[in-house]
Amino acid sequence: IPLEKRKDFYLIFKEAINNLAKYSNPIKVAINLNAKPKRLQLEISDNGCGFDPDQPAAGNGLKNMKSRAESIGATLHVSTSPGKVTQIELLLPLVP
């Protein structure tokens, strides 16, 4: 993975973990990193308090994660709602 993509991939991971620790109050967290033949897949899930993804966020964390994902050609999926599990999936295509 080129250095620029690696940096943004790491910063997305770091922001997701920071948000989880700061706001979610989970009891259980799962982090999976899978290297597929043509992509790198990062999955982070927790059983914390969740949030409403349609409401404007107080900070820029989620917006920055989406922007970074777009800049490296990755897709970011966030699945959550208040009081529910939060799941984040980042898929980064790998170019041979």
Side-chain angles (χ1 to χ4, degrees):
I1 301 173
L3 181 62
E4 302 81 27
K5 287 187 177 188
R6 219 176 327 160
K7 178 184 174 193
D8 281 334
F9 188 89
Y10 167 72
L11 290 173
I12 293 167
F13 170 77
K14 182 179 167 188
E15 184 67 39
I17 297 301
N18 181 60
N19 289 347
L20 184 154
K22 205 171 179 181
Y23 304 112
S24 182
N25 196 26
I27 293 174
K28 203 179 266 191
V29 174
I31 301 170
N32 293 300
L33 181 61
N34 300 302
K36 306 285 184 175
K38 295 186 180 184
R39 71 175 189 245
L40 195 57
Q41 177 185 35
L42 173 65
E43 297 176 315
I44 302 171
S45 62
D46 70 69
N47 66 346
C49 62
F51 62 95
D52 185 349
D54 295 326
Q55 291 297 315
N60 293 317
L62 194 54
K63 183 177 83 169
N64 288 344
M65 289 169 61
K66 289 178 181 179
S67 176
R68 288 183 192 281
E70 186 177 305
S71 76
I72 61 173
T75 56
L76 180 70
H77 302 284
V78 178
S79 174
T80 187
S81 62
K84 302 289 182 183
V85 170
T86 298
Q87 295 178 315
I88 296 174
E89 179 185 49
L90 180 64
L91 297 171
L92 176 64
L94 298 175
V95 179

